Amino acid sequence: MWKGKNVTVFVTGGIAAFKVATLVRLFVKAGANVEVAMTKSACEFITPLTFQVLTKNKVHTDTFDEDEASKVQHIHLADKTDVAVVVPATANTIAKMANGIADNFVTSTLLAITAPIFVASAMNEHMWENPATIRNVAQLKADGKVIIEPATGFLAEGYNGKGRLPEPEEIFEQVTFFESRRAYGSPLKGKSVLIAAGGTKERIDPVRYISNDSSGKMGYALAKAASVLGAEVQLVSTAKQLKVPFGVNVTYVESAREMEEVVTAQFPTTDVAVMVAAVSDYYVANRSDQKIKKQHNKSGLKLELAENPDILKGLGHSKKEGQVVIGFAAETEKVLEYAAAKLEKKKADAIIANDVSSSNIGFNADNHQVTILTKEGKQIPLPECSKDALALEIWKTLVAENVIR
Ligand code: CTP
């Protein structure tokens, strides 16, 4: 996404300027060519040298520092910018941008940029809530700038409030999200996508459970990709440890029966439901409400397992109103044969078959390789790649094959 892109970072004078060093590193690490421009006030908080070392590029601070006769620096920089990020954007710079004022290198360059501009602001809570700032921010939005809202938390003033600069990773994720959306178009725009992810946990007692090896990562990658491609995404997840992708809503569940309840309730308002979850086939029917004590008898402890509902089958066989139902089949042998049988038995529109027998493309591997089976009998193998790349490929293929219309 970022390889070869020219990202220009505009630093203005706020205490959060120190966080921009990490943001710049994230863009550089992702392969972007980063140039930094700073206001005089920004230089009071962090030195241009820091950014010069991180970017290997000269840092711009002065409009009249024209050391190359063939170029007007701020216009040259504006023209080559693919993406601009103003961070931290002070109330002062926001006000200037909203009113087209160009009185330093930063504001002059910003006025000349035609590429997307992201504004990540940070300021005192009262300054953020001042009617003048509210007006200026609304103007920037109306002008097509993307505002990355300040976070709520402990401010430099010593109290909690809205005004903190979001963490660099969060800013990077949001900029990447909007840029990816622009790059891919929005083939899932207007679609509501429901994704169930993670391995379910079936309680034995309050502190013990039966589960499986599923990490939930493939479901989260599909949720992220669907959101990037324009869908409204609802995740129903057991994987509380994973970061929820930007723009995705999540409902946490634990057991298969809880998952079924949430998925079934949301299904009527869904366009596409994807069961990526590794649902336990059984639950513990004699679950104890108290922690089970060690049994000192020869017969040991007996757990009674009762069958869980088959969520995918339930959706596939339900009375649908145009919903598309997609399942996964993780198999260790006869992959396509078993997946085709599941497609038919569960009345899904498509099954994504995953060979988990090999350690380099299996359950917890970095790379994955899947084949999409459609109910029309097509088998479409996708190239082996990372989960994120594969997730995008899966959605694009489902659209291209008219599984999702
Ligand atoms: N699935 C489900 N509810 C279950 C079991 C599975 O919704 N109780 C869904 C999974 O989320 C997946 C698909 O069905 O999308 C296939 O799951 P899998 O575990 O491979 O198949 P099973 O039907 O459980 O068959 P088996 O374990 O015998 O392979």
Side-chain angles (χ1 to χ4, degrees):
M1 158 88 238
W2 289 112
K3 273 209 172 70
K5 284 261 171 77
N6 290 314
V7 175
T8 308
V9 175
F10 296 92
V11 191
T12 71
I15 179 64
F18 75 93
K19 287 189 183 176
V20 184
T22 307
L23 179 66
V24 163
R25 280 208 62 200
L26 289 170
F27 280 115
V28 170
K29 221 172 130 195
N33 172 50
V34 183
E35 293 216 27
V36 174
M38 303 172 73
T39 60
K40 281 219 157 45
S41 314
C43 300
E44 298 286 333
F45 291 98
I46 184 165
T47 68
L49 186 60
T50 304
F51 293 119
Q52 182 178 309
V53 173
L54 290 174
T55 62
K56 312 279 181 293
N57 282 318
K58 183 186 159 184
V59 173
H60 310 268
T61 55
D62 184 356
T63 322
F64 301 104
D65 182 9
E66 296 288 0
D67 53 1
E68 275 180 89
S70 62
K71 292 172 187 151
V72 176
Q73 285 303 328
H74 66 282
I75 300 299
H76 177 65
L77 182 61
D79 285 349
K80 76 178 203 193
T81 296
D82 295 313
V83 174
V85 189
V86 190
V87 54
T90 56
N92 185 39
T93 294
I94 286 175
K96 288 181 187 175
M97 287 173 75
N99 289 285
I101 293 171
D103 65 348
N104 59 34
F105 189 92
V106 165
T107 48
S108 304
T109 312
L110 282 167
L111 197 61
I113 283 179
T114 52
I117 299 179
F118 292 82
V119 180
S121 46
M123 65 190 76
N124 170 271
E125 185 179 30
H126 305 305
M127 292 168 88
W128 177 251
E129 285 168 358
N130 187 293
T133 307
I134 292 173
R135 261 196 323 271
N136 292 332
V137 169
Q139 185 61 55
L140 290 188
K141 281 185 189 164
D143 294 345
K145 316 282 187 274
V146 183
I147 305 291
I148 297 175
E149 299 264 333
T152 300
F154 190 71
L155 303 177
E157 291 80 350
Y159 52 83
N160 276 310
K162 187 167 180 181
R164 261 175 77 86
L165 187 73
E167 292 308 313
E169 291 75 12
E170 182 66 28
I171 298 173
F172 180 73
E173 188 189 1
Q174 285 196 38
V175 177
T176 305
F177 173 87
F178 286 110
E179 279 308 288
S180 308
R181 195 174 251 193
R182 223 166 48 90
Y184 294 120
S186 294
L188 296 179
K189 195 171 177 187
K191 299 279 181 220
S192 162
V193 170
L194 175 64
I195 296 174
T200 59
K201 288 180 183 170
E202 306 299 335
R203 287 275 159 202
I204 298 170
D205 69 14
V207 293
R208 303 180 179 98
Y209 57 79
I210 298 174
S211 192
N212 56 62
D213 265 347
S214 167
S215 66
K217 286 181 189 164
M218 191 66 228
Y220 276 60
L222 278 168
K224 181 177 168 183
S227 180
V228 162
L229 297 177
E232 281 285 323
V233 185
Q234 298 287 337
L235 251 180
V236 180
S237 167
T238 62
K240 283 194 177 142
Q241 75 286 358
L242 295 182
K243 190 182 174 313
V244 180
F246 178 72
V248 170
N249 299 307
V250 67
T251 308
Y252 290 113
V253 293
E254 194 172 87
S255 67
R257 286 175 299 162
E258 277 170 28
M259 183 174 273
E260 188 206 26
E261 203 181 312
V262 177
V263 166
T264 317
Q266 295 192 3
F267 188 62
T269 54
T270 293
D271 296 308
V272 185
V274 191
M275 287 298 305
V276 201
V279 186
S280 306
D281 289 327
Y282 298 95
Y283 70 94
V284 181
N286 59 341
R287 165 192 171 152
S288 169
D289 288 339
Q290 302 300 331
K291 185 181 168 207
I292 300 173
K293 304 306 286 178
K294 197 185 292 174
Q295 311 286 303
H296 294 287
N297 59 39
K298 284 222 170 90
S299 57
L301 174 69
K302 286 201 171 58
L303 294 180
E304 266 174 49
L305 299 182
E307 204 173 334
N308 263 327
D310 188 318
I311 308 172
L312 179 64
K313 192 173 168 192
L315 299 180
H317 285 258
S318 68
K319 213 165 163 269
K320 284 175 265 175
E321 286 167 2
Q323 288 98 329
V324 174
V325 174
I326 295 163
F328 267 70
E331 308 290 350
T332 54
E333 56 168 349
K334 300 183 190 164
V335 179
L336 296 180
E337 187 186 322
Y338 286 156
K342 281 177 190 171
L343 176 74
E344 200 185 316
K345 194 174 98 189
K346 304 196 187 206
K347 269 188 144 186
D349 294 282
I351 286 273
I352 297 162
N354 192 1
D355 182 349
V356 290
S357 63
S358 140
S359 61
N360 57 329
I361 54 168
F363 244 147
N364 275 318
D366 290 337
N367 275 1
H368 267 245
Q369 201 277 315
V370 301
T371 299
I372 299 181
L373 289 83
T374 68
K375 69 172 183 220
E376 285 78 25
K378 271 201 174 173
Q379 296 189 353
I380 309 142
L382 301 185
E384 180 185 328
C385 52
S386 73
K387 279 187 178 151
D388 277 348
L390 182 64
L392 279 167
E393 213 45 54
I394 288 174
W395 287 119
K396 284 193 214 160
T397 308
L398 291 171
V399 171
E401 293 294 331
N402 268 332
V403 176
I404 299 174
R405 276 180 223 106

